Amino acid sequence: MIQACQTHTATEAACLRQRARQLLQWQDPTAKAEAVLQLHANQAQMRLDVQQALAAPEPDEPGMPPGLRLAPHTEVARRSPATLQGRAVLVHAIVHIEYNAIHLALDAVWRFAGMPASYYGDWLKIAAEEARHFQLLRAQLQAMGFDYGDFPAHQGLWAMCSKTRHDILARMALVPRTLEARGLDATPLIQHKLRQVDTEDAHAICAVLDIILREEVGHVAIGNYWYRWLCHQRGLDAVALYPQLVAQYEAPRPKPPLNLDARRAAGFTEQELHYLQWGSENPPDVAG
């Protein structure tokens, strides 16, 4: 069990949420992924103060590899997976998503005080799984003759994280159950294109994506759980509130087709799926 952290005696390395904030700033992706896995493995020896309000670091951004060029998403080229370089560009994009997913989870751990201890355990587990996803995909990219940083990347995921830094309810609504849930829809489509290529590396990528898809269902489910928990605590209707948050924060709409089986497994109700598919701002009363 995670121990309670006494603010006046806790050191930076001994307090779980402070350690998460510290790791978020690391620039070396290899060291960061390993340290996140170690933090998760050693959480029983860490101390946790759920009430402590931690000051934001300067700058309040994740540490990125110095050689990685960040660009607007409109400038990040997409290439056909029919070529080796095209597949490398695709894998690089997903590697970057997984690297930023580590940041999203670490940020959820350190930034928001006053939640139950299980909330921090959930997000630390997500951080560790995202670190492992990053390692698996980066290893595949390296096996193809490339590495993380060889192509430009965009910061779409972190942009929404920044927008919602002042409200944990908006964060749970619009990061795990909106942006990360899009991966549930996109992954089978990516795998279909790769299987058509029918190369050894394409099949290896698909095998890694199988692992990621299975575990991402759990990540989205955690987002759904804490979103609804927070709505209940604030006396809000979770279904009615969601379209308002989408509009307020200009969150992107999911692109069809939706992976309905995966989204149901992640806890979306039929009423929520109807809204996501059809975009009604007043979802009908559909039994979920």
Side-chain angles (χ1 to χ4, degrees):
M1 178 180 294
I2 300 173
Q3 304 173 41
C5 178
Q6 299 301 317
T7 304
H8 63 284
T9 61
T11 64
E12 186 75 10
C15 215
L16 188 147
R17 291 179 56 227
Q18 292 176 348
R19 181 62 170 170
R21 180 183 60 180
Q22 183 185 61
L23 294 182
L24 184 66
Q25 299 298 300
W26 286 18
Q27 293 185 337
D28 184 338
T30 301
K32 180 182 289 185
E34 285 294 339
V36 168
L37 289 167
Q38 184 178 30
L39 179 61
H40 179 254
N42 295 337
Q43 63 181 299
Q45 287 74 52
M46 302 298 291
R47 292 179 289 176
L48 175 67
D49 183 352
V50 302
Q51 298 302 331
Q52 183 183 10
L54 299 177
E58 289 292 341
D60 192 2
E61 300 287 340
M64 304 300 293
L68 178 67
R69 186 169 76 85
L70 298 175
H73 74 277
T74 53
E75 296 180 15
V76 177
R78 296 182 180 181
R79 301 180 189 177
S80 169
T83 66
L84 176 62
Q85 184 158 353
R87 293 191 295 280
V89 168
L90 172 62
V91 175
H92 188 277
I94 307 173
V95 166
H96 182 65
I97 288 171
E98 297 299 329
Y99 187 58
N100 261 331
I102 300 172
H103 299 151
L104 303 183
L106 291 175
D107 195 84
V109 170
W110 85 256
R111 189 177 297 274
F112 301 109
M115 294 293 286
S118 58
Y119 163 87
Y120 303 99
D122 280 348
W123 283 99
L124 183 58
K125 175 178 181 287
I126 290 176
E129 290 182 349
E130 302 292 14
R132 189 163 58 86
H133 297 170
F134 170 78
Q135 290 176 330
L136 289 170
L137 281 168
R138 188 184 184 189
Q140 178 57 42
L141 185 62
Q142 291 169 334
M144 296 164 66
F146 301 87
D147 201 0
Y148 185 39
D150 285 352
F151 305 102
H154 69 82
Q155 286 291 75
L157 273 176
W158 184 256
M160 184 58 72
C161 198
S162 295
K163 283 184 180 181
T164 57
R165 65 180 59 180
H166 302 299
D167 186 358
I168 187 174
L169 177 58
R171 171 69 63 83
M172 293 299 108
L174 301 176
V175 174
R177 72 191 310 265
T178 299
L179 295 187
E180 293 191 77
R182 294 173 76 185
L184 305 183
D185 306 323
T187 299
L189 302 178
I190 293 170
Q191 290 177 304
H192 176 70
K193 291 179 180 179
L194 287 169
R195 290 187 178 109
Q196 288 183 316
V197 174
D198 197 24
T199 61
E200 183 177 347
D201 62 273
H203 288 294
I205 298 165
C206 286
V208 176
L209 292 178
D210 278 337
I211 296 170
I212 292 175
L213 179 59
R214 182 171 62 252
E215 294 184 350
E216 290 293 342
V217 169
H219 300 176
V220 177
I222 287 171
N224 269 323
Y225 174 85
W226 289 112
Y227 170 69
R228 293 182 183 127
W229 186 90
L230 287 159
C231 285
H232 178 74
Q233 292 293 309
R234 299 183 188 186
L236 300 170
D237 183 323
V239 175
L241 177 64
Y242 181 74
Q244 299 172 31
L245 293 172
V246 169
Q248 179 181 347
Y249 289 91
E250 299 179 328
R253 302 286 309 170
K255 296 180 180 179
L258 302 189
N259 187 342
L260 295 176
D261 288 342
R263 283 180 174 268
R264 288 184 182 113
F268 285 96
T269 67
E270 296 305 312
Q271 190 174 4
E272 289 170 323
L273 291 175
H274 186 281
Y275 164 74
L276 291 170
Q277 286 180 288
W278 305 108
S280 169
E281 293 190 3
N282 295 294
D285 186 13
V286 179

